[in-house]
Amino acid sequence: MMPDSIARFRRFARAVTAEIGALDSSFLGRGRPLGAARVVNAIGAGRADVAEIRAYLGLDSGLMSRLLRSLEEEGLVATEPHPEDARRRVVRLTDAGQREFLAYEDISDARASTLLARSPRADALLRAMDLVALTLGRDRIAIEEADPRGETARACLEAYYAELARRLESGFDVKRSRDPEARAMVRPRGTFLLAVADGLPVGCVGLKGSGGPIAEVKRLWIDPAARGFGLARRLMQAVEAVARDLSVAVLRLDTSSALPEALALYRTSGWVEVARFNDDPYPDHFFEKAL
Amino acid sequence: MMPDSIARFRRFARAVTAEIGALDSSFLGRGRPLGAARVVNAIGAGRADVAEIRAYLGLDSGLMSRLLRSLEEEGLVATEPHPEDARRRVVRLTDAGQREFLAYEDISDARASTLLARSPRADALLRAMDLVALTLGRDRIAIEEADPRGETARACLEAYYAELARRLESGFDVKRSRDPEARAMVRPRGTFLLAVADGLPVGCVGLKGSGGPIAEVKRLWIDPAARGFGLARRLMQAVEAVARDLSVAVLRLDTSSALPEALALYRTSGWVEVARFNDDPYPDHFFEKAL
DNA sequence: TAAATTGCCTGACTAAAGTCAGCTATTATG
DNA sequence: CATAATAGCTGACTTTAGTCAGGCAATTTA
């Protein structure tokens, strides 16, 4: 490791602590101690189980309980027993609580946007932040099914097309390629999977089926900031699992020698190179895998 | 601004808060509250004035005083009156305090190196961290004089040469260029200035003098992660101030059209393009400025 | 040189965070 | 079905952080 890499890391930690500490204290100023504000935000972020919130915030059970009581007194949250296990409790925000949560969100958003506006190269800064955030949070990246026509999926596909255009010598035009009909990538014929980090998409893959025994893997893409974590392999494993679930017997895919990482991945995960099986102008390598 | 840029910023803040919060709490576990540990670290980092530490840590005067008393009782610090103003006090670490400080340093270093080791592309991660740290800490970048033969200066010069080699079509070989003798960049003949962010160099510029009325500006370089903050302009202003101080009447410099940012800077800050004044093979533009 | 200011200290206080033992209700287990 | 385990709650407590008024000694200013 470079001799000053630890110094550089620690400079980063210092710079960020100052800024992020301020970000934390911006949760104050609404007449509520930090602990209570953090609970409101955890619930607003979708955490409902008391134990889950406690684990997330690292709180003692007694302290947690007291914070919830004080938020209840304020009329911000309501708790009720868990429907399946009456020992556990679920918390939700009341309307007033929701408003308070949104006020906190506004504070955070405003802070973020001020800091970004100060940056001379906000795009480069964001890419750098993505890389840091994804590296630190790589274990929290989840794979989930999504509608390929949805907004999130379309953003991934746009990024995929843009990258192909950059990397293929001939450029890339979706219309000239065999653009899979979106319905072929929706159950029961196929699927579309997203890799999601903290609510933002960082990768995707499609399974284009016809209802028959052969299906095709399409649109494998990983955000540059999320490369190197084995995410492509995870997506491929997930898409193969769905294919098996849909009783697909043989998977196919086409790819290009302009994408050497993809070629290497297929070759080391059970895919066999076969003869060209379509007349799409872009691919020059074709693979098959029996399930 | 892109619609999801705020979401990306906040994902970064979340990821980093979790990690950095842990970094902070790693200051615990040595039987001492966080406040006291932070004071030990501030002193270990070279802060000696009580008021300075107080300002840095944002502490109330009463609290600060109490923290110092408790550290004195532990035998970690010793305070004495300031030699020039007996109202002020200076603090230093005792031997035991120094040991304790180093123990904290070891904890932080170990943490940094664990996180870096987990990263598949530590170099890219560090560059990203540099960019974030420098953007957040841009107001703390200081310009200071240094010996061009020192380790830090040499690291900057190496980076400068490497960048020239990348950007000049013909490549770059220091030996073929008029490598200024280091002594010509030391007072009283010249100077060498470093831009320093949190102890790490992020830019440099040299003033090569002969003792006569003409001196030359050389080796202007800015770390890619620190570009866009107007640092080059600050360095040039600083080097001009030193030149005036050394009674230089006319400044000269040569540069290359492969460095358009540099050309633009000189053209917008009072430099006048003149005819070639040396036979160095690399430069193709020559400037002069009367002081 | 008297008055104001500065830098740090002390005592008395509050708020917030965190700990711990014991309680109740519910669910799982032999 | 008795017992153990689990989830959350309550009361009593400690620690840490932070605030504020006043005090003292040194220094600056009028």
Side-chain angles (χ1 to χ4, degrees):
Chain A
M1 201 175 288
M2 280 166 64
D4 63 349
S5 58
I6 290 181
R8 287 164 71 193
F9 181 98
R10 293 191 55 194
R11 170 175 69 183
F12 168 81
R14 264 194 303 275
V16 142
T17 311
E19 222 39 77
I20 299 301
L23 208 148
D24 236 36
S25 69
S26 75
F27 278 156
L28 302 168
R30 289 191 68 78
R32 194 171 296 111
L34 188 57
R38 299 215 304 153
V39 172
V40 169
N41 280 280
I43 302 170
R47 271 164 257 264
D49 240 77
V50 170
E52 189 192 353
I53 299 170
R54 236 177 51 198
Y56 172 64
L57 298 176
L59 296 176
D60 170 89
S61 134
L63 182 50
M64 177 77 219
S65 187
R66 251 177 285 274
L67 288 172
L68 282 178
R69 287 304 82 66
S70 85
L71 289 172
E72 263 179 345
E73 262 174 51
E74 272 196 271
L76 301 185
V77 308
T79 64
E80 43 201 77
H82 193 285
E84 283 164 25
D85 180 345
R87 289 169 304 182
R88 289 154 68 193
R89 313 212 78 190
V90 288
V91 200
R92 59 178 182 75
L93 294 177
T94 61
D95 288 351
Q98 188 65 27
R99 279 196 297 278
E100 202 57 25
F101 169 65
L102 291 177
Y104 282 123
E105 289 285 289
D106 284 348
I107 292 172
S108 296
D109 283 357
R111 188 161 201 102
S113 118
T114 307
L115 274 170
L116 282 173
R118 266 173 38 107
S119 166
R121 289 169 297 155
D123 56 332
L125 179 64
L126 279 171
R127 273 199 302 279
M129 288 179 159
D130 286 348
L131 182 56
V132 174
L134 293 174
T135 304
L136 295 179
R138 55 191 286 191
D139 300 333
R140 283 194 303 275
I141 299 178
I143 291 175
E144 45 193 58
E145 257 177 309
D147 190 319
R149 292 157 297 193
E151 201 181 329
T152 320
R154 292 175 65 87
C156 285
L157 291 173
E158 290 305 322
Y160 170 79
Y161 299 144
E163 174 141 12
L164 276 191
R166 260 197 314 279
R167 293 183 57 173
L168 295 181
E169 276 186 21
S170 51
F172 177 78
D173 179 4
V174 197
K175 293 181 203 74
R176 288 192 56 208
S177 179
R178 299 158 55 88
D179 190 25
E181 231 194 304
R183 282 191 50 203
M185 298 201 291
V186 176
R187 284 182 188 250
R189 288 169 64 185
T191 190
F192 192 81
L193 301 179
L194 285 176
V196 178
D198 245 316
L200 296 171
V202 293
C204 66
V205 68
L207 178 71
K208 177 194 170 194
S210 58
I214 297 181
E216 212 175 325
V217 173
K218 307 285 294 181
R219 310 303 186 230
L220 175 64
W221 171 79
I222 309 288
D223 185 324
R227 290 180 194 172
F229 305 148
L231 212 48
R233 206 170 281 270
R234 273 180 69 195
L235 278 172
M236 287 300 285
Q237 279 163 3
V239 87
E240 283 173 28
V242 175
R244 278 193 203 90
D245 192 40
L246 297 176
S247 309
V248 171
V250 177
L251 281 177
R252 280 177 170 176
L253 63 84
D254 59 31
T255 186
S256 161
S257 48
L259 307 170
E261 323 88 299
L263 283 179
L265 169 63
Y266 304 139
R267 287 183 175 136
T268 58
S269 52
W271 291 79
V272 182
E273 195 143 6
V274 295
R276 174 181 279 274
F277 57 74
N278 65 30
D279 53 2
D280 197 313
Y282 300 110
D284 53 16
H285 283 75
F286 298 80
F287 288 87
E288 209 170 88
K289 185 172 188 175
L291 294 182
Chain B
M1 201 175 291
M2 278 167 66
D4 64 349
S5 58
I6 291 181
R8 287 164 69 193
F9 182 98
R10 293 193 54 196
R11 171 176 68 183
F12 168 81
R14 266 194 301 276
V16 141
T17 311
E19 221 43 73
I20 300 301
L23 209 148
D24 237 35
S25 68
S26 74
F27 278 157
L28 303 168
R30 291 192 66 79
R32 194 170 297 111
L34 188 57
R38 298 215 305 154
V39 171
V40 169
N41 280 281
I43 303 169
R47 270 164 256 264
D49 241 77
V50 169
E52 189 191 355
I53 300 170
R54 235 176 52 197
Y56 172 65
L57 297 176
L59 296 176
D60 170 87
S61 135
L63 181 50
M64 176 78 217
S65 187
R66 251 177 285 275
L67 287 172
L68 282 178
R69 286 306 80 66
S70 83
L71 289 173
E72 264 178 345
E73 263 175 52
E74 270 196 272
L76 300 185
V77 308
T79 64
E80 44 201 78
H82 192 285
E84 283 165 25
D85 181 346
R87 290 170 303 181
R88 289 154 68 194
R89 313 213 78 191
V90 287
V91 201
R92 59 175 182 77
L93 295 178
T94 61
D95 288 351
Q98 188 65 27
R99 279 195 299 277
E100 202 57 24
F101 169 65
L102 291 177
Y104 283 123
E105 288 287 288
D106 284 348
I107 291 172
S108 297
D109 283 358
R111 189 160 201 101
S113 106
T114 306
L115 274 170
L116 284 173
R118 266 171 41 105
S119 165
R121 289 168 297 154
D123 56 332
L125 178 64
L126 279 171
R127 273 199 302 278
M129 287 180 160
D130 285 348
L131 182 56
V132 174
L134 292 174
T135 305
L136 295 179
R138 55 193 284 189
D139 300 333
R140 284 194 302 275
I141 299 177
I143 291 174
E144 44 194 60
E145 257 177 297
D147 189 319
R149 291 157 299 193
E151 202 181 330
T152 319
R154 292 176 65 88
C156 286
L157 291 173
E158 290 304 322
Y160 170 79
Y161 299 144
E163 173 141 12
L164 276 191
R166 259 196 315 279
R167 293 181 59 170
L168 295 182
E169 275 185 22
S170 52
F172 178 77
D173 179 4
V174 197
K175 294 180 204 74
R176 290 190 55 206
S177 180
R178 299 159 54 88
D179 190 27
E181 233 193 305
R183 284 190 49 201
M185 297 202 290
V186 176
R187 284 184 189 251
R189 290 168 63 185
T191 190
F192 193 81
L193 301 179
L194 285 176
V196 178
D198 244 318
L200 295 171
V202 294
C204 67
V205 69
L207 179 71
K208 178 194 168 193
S210 58
I214 298 181
E216 210 175 326
V217 173
K218 306 285 295 181
R219 311 300 187 231
L220 175 64
W221 172 79
I222 310 288
D223 185 325
R227 290 180 194 172
F229 305 148
L231 212 48
R233 205 170 283 270
R234 274 180 68 194
L235 277 172
M236 287 300 285
Q237 280 164 1
V239 88
E240 283 173 28
V242 175
R244 278 194 203 87
D245 193 39
L246 296 176
S247 310
V248 170
V250 177
L251 281 178
R252 282 178 170 176
L253 64 84
D254 59 30
T255 185
S256 161
S257 50
L259 307 170
E261 322 88 300
L263 283 179
L265 168 63
Y266 304 140
R267 287 183 174 136
T268 58
S269 52
W271 291 78
V272 181
E273 196 143 6
V274 295
R276 173 180 280 273
F277 57 74
N278 66 30
D279 54 2
D280 197 313
Y282 301 110
D284 53 16
H285 283 75
F286 298 80
F287 288 88
E288 208 170 87
K289 184 172 189 175
L291 294 181

